[in-house]
Amino acid sequence: MKAEKLYPIISKWEEQWKKDCGGMLSPGVATEFALLKEALEKEMRDAAAKQGGVKSVYNAANAIIKNAKKCYPSKPNIHGMYEDENQYGETVYCICDGYTAVRFKKELPLERIPDGAGEPFHLKNIVKKPNGAQQIVLPDIADIKVFCKTCDKDDLYCLDEELDVYVNPNYLANIMGCLPNATAYARDGVSAIYFEAENGDGVLMPARPKK
């Protein structure tokens, strides 16, 4: 069984064991669970690190398209890839789900928006570096993929503590997968985060932690 399937099973066992023991594990048992989960996380991280290249970009882009259909079923103009122009008049190939937007320099073999979908969702004034933004350090994508598999459903990922930038970890994994080795820029915890890479650019909207 793969580590990503084993991890939630082990976590449930750990929680049930805690309940059966009055809410606390003995030091020995707690250590065993911690070591086992650490080993599974390493296995997932190693597997994620090997998933590079065109296939990784394709899978991440498809995840954005799938999310667009799920979150905005009444907006077929983002239910696939479509052509647009950037601020320089160059043709770019776009995908967007309302939270993440990516512009590829070259066309990918992705599902296109359906015929008759209406006016394309123009990204020219959306995908850009915010005024006053500064470069931020991105985590390793393998670590983000592990975080996605091990965190609770509503957990956010702190992308930059100083700027108070939090994001949906799945959306972060998607845009980093689409734009390998990207450089990212952020201004604060409410403005779009801009990503720039050799194969294109994009933005990711931040999220605010629940208080």
Side-chain angles (χ1 to χ4, degrees):
M1 187 178 292
K2 290 185 177 181
E4 62 187 68
K5 292 185 178 180
L6 269 175
Y7 194 94
I9 295 174
I10 298 300
S11 295
K12 287 181 181 178
W13 284 353
E14 183 180 22
E15 289 303 314
Q16 186 59 52
W17 204 315
K18 280 183 181 179
K19 290 180 182 178
D20 294 343
C21 295
M24 184 177 294
L25 296 175
S26 67
V29 173
T31 298
E32 288 298 322
F33 272 115
L35 290 173
L36 179 55
K37 291 170 76 173
E38 183 180 332
L40 291 173
E41 287 173 9
K42 183 181 184 303
E43 186 177 331
M44 287 188 284
R45 191 159 47 248
D46 291 344
K50 294 178 182 178
Q51 295 175 353
V54 176
K55 184 178 180 181
S56 178
V57 174
Y58 178 79
N59 289 341
N62 269 324
I64 293 175
I65 293 173
K66 182 178 179 180
N67 198 49
K69 293 178 180 181
K70 176 184 176 182
C71 296
Y72 296 95
S74 62
K75 293 186 176 182
N77 62 335
I78 58 171
H79 289 180
M81 187 180 67
Y82 58 94
E83 292 182 20
D84 197 8
E85 288 188 353
N86 62 17
Q87 56 268 44
Y88 306 110
E90 300 166 334
T91 299
V92 287
Y93 302 89
C94 307
I95 53 174
C96 177
D97 64 6
Y99 307 96
T100 310
V102 176
R103 302 186 301 192
F104 294 108
K105 294 178 180 178
K106 295 182 179 180
E107 186 174 6
L108 273 69
L110 297 168
E111 178 183 357
R112 287 274 191 159
I113 59 171
D115 293 335
E119 183 74 12
F121 186 65
H122 299 296
L123 299 177
K124 186 184 302 183
N125 296 320
I126 298 173
V127 178
K128 59 183 180 180
K129 188 191 300 184
N131 293 330
Q134 63 185 59
Q135 184 176 338
I136 59 174
V137 178
L138 289 174
D140 190 295
I141 189 170
D143 291 332
I144 290 301
K145 288 182 177 180
V146 172
F147 185 88
C148 292
K149 292 182 173 111
T150 58
C151 69
D152 291 333
K153 180 181 177 182
D154 297 324
D155 282 352
L156 298 179
Y157 182 84
C158 182
L159 190 55
D160 191 283
E161 188 172 354
E162 182 180 345
L163 295 176
D164 196 31
V165 178
Y166 288 82
V167 295
N168 179 303
N170 290 290
Y171 299 164
L172 177 60
N174 288 343
I175 195 167
M176 289 181 66
C178 285
L179 302 170
N181 303 312
T183 302
Y185 302 87
R187 183 174 64 192
D188 49 43
V190 294
S191 303
I193 306 150
Y194 178 68
F195 291 73
E196 187 175 34
E198 185 177 341
N199 67 328
D201 62 355
V203 293
L204 170 65
M205 294 305 299
R208 299 309 303 158
K210 294 179 180 179
K211 295 183 178 180

